Amino acid sequence: GIQVEQSPPDLILQEGANSTLRCNFSDSVNNLQWFHQNPWGQLINLFYIPSGTKQNGRLSATTVATERYSLLYISSSQTTDSGVYFCAVGYSSASKIIFGSGTRLSIRP
Amino acid sequence: EPEVTQTPSHQVTQMGQEVILRCVPISNHLYFYWYRQILGQKVEFLVSFYNNEISEKSEIFDDQFSVERPDGSNFTLKIRSTKLEDSAMYFCASSGAGTGELFFGEGSRLTVL
């Protein structure tokens, strides 16, 4: 099955810093999403990005499908950005979507 | 904005009891999923469901687990005889036709004593 690896596993930053989170996957996929799990455990959709680049405010994401990786950029970090960021990939809607182990981001004031 | 809703938000049960977790997916979605997350660990796939049948299931989804779409709106996960290791957050998700983009509910926390 697909293997999904995220790096780094943990990241501690000061408020205002920028960060780059990486997701590598082992096979060609048709679906790729980034989620933020907030301290209350909710999984918040950030991007659905099987390929290309998208931006939403301070966040942007890029997926290079041919090289099997995706990057999530967070600029000017705020304490509310803290939590775990997951990448999830899959072949199709009917099949399983597999999550990586996540990157735990802690933003210090 | 349409959302996936789950009930209960938290359930405490005794080992060996049956538990049913309920989900109302987004109304025009066709694909439904259950995932679980043991505290502090990653989100694990349990089962996907489409056209009133299971599309795919993981090794975790053994004979103790079943899913059902009893009517046009609900999607349920039943655990027949709970074990201590079933304690986890259970997430329901749904996806629209052909997109593969998952939308998650807020989760049901199951505690087995």
Side-chain angles (χ1 to χ4, degrees):
Chain A
I2 306 171
Q3 304 297 313
V4 185
E5 292 184 1
Q6 291 188 242
S7 59
D10 295 279
L11 190 56
I12 301 173
L13 297 172
Q14 288 297 125
E15 200 167 22
N18 302 329
S19 58
T20 301
L21 283 57
R22 187 176 180 102
C23 171
N24 291 335
F25 43 96
S26 62
D27 201 357
S28 299
V29 297
N30 294 312
N31 304 321
L32 190 145
Q33 279 184 263
W34 282 97
F35 295 92
H36 173 216
Q37 187 165 42
N38 63 23
W40 296 270
Q42 295 173 306
L43 287 165
I44 309 299
N45 285 37
L46 296 178
F47 295 102
Y48 174 71
I49 187 167
S51 64
T53 297
K54 290 186 178 179
Q55 178 150 11
N56 185 4
R58 295 181 297 103
L59 275 60
S60 64
T62 294
T63 297
V64 183
T66 52
E67 297 187 24
R68 300 180 187 169
Y69 73 89
S70 183
L71 301 174
L72 177 69
Y73 305 97
I74 305 174
S75 64
S76 304
S77 300
Q78 300 175 358
T79 54
T80 50
D81 294 331
S82 295
V84 183
Y85 289 80
F86 289 105
C87 163
V89 304
Y91 296 120
S92 71
S93 301
S95 70
K96 56 188 172 187
I97 311 295
I98 300 299
F99 279 68
S101 297
T103 292
R104 182 172 300 278
L105 178 64
S106 300
I107 304 298
R108 301 290 166 83
Chain B
E1 186 176 317
E3 59 180 20
V4 177
T5 58
Q6 290 186 240
T7 54
S9 55
H10 189 192
Q11 181 156 356
V12 181
T13 191
Q14 295 291 323
M15 191 168 53
Q17 295 297 303
E18 176 182 283
V19 162
I20 297 177
L21 305 178
R22 292 183 167 80
C23 170
V24 179
I26 294 173
S27 62
N28 62 346
H29 283 185
L30 300 177
Y31 300 86
F32 314 113
Y33 313 82
W34 284 101
Y35 285 78
R36 81 171 186 190
Q37 185 181 33
I38 295 170
L39 187 64
Q41 298 186 24
K42 70 178 188 180
V43 180
E44 299 174 291
F45 170 80
L46 292 178
V47 65
S48 59
F49 191 89
Y50 170 71
N51 200 24
N52 282 319
E53 59 183 29
I54 291 174
S55 307
E56 193 164 354
K57 60 184 181 179
S58 71
E59 314 79 57
I60 303 168
F61 195 88
D62 61 21
D63 291 344
Q64 295 294 329
F65 291 89
S66 62
V67 289
E68 193 177 32
R69 188 159 163 79
D71 53 41
S73 59
N74 290 285
F75 179 52
T76 62
L77 174 69
K78 181 192 290 186
I79 309 174
R80 257 180 277 282
S81 178
T82 49
K83 304 189 268 281
L84 295 176
E85 54 264 39
D86 293 328
S87 294
M89 180 75 91
Y90 288 82
F91 289 103
C92 173
S94 68
S95 175
T99 69
E101 182 176 8
L102 300 185
F103 293 85
F104 281 86
E106 294 191 351
S108 293
R109 180 168 297 285
L110 176 64
T111 302
V112 182
L113 303 177

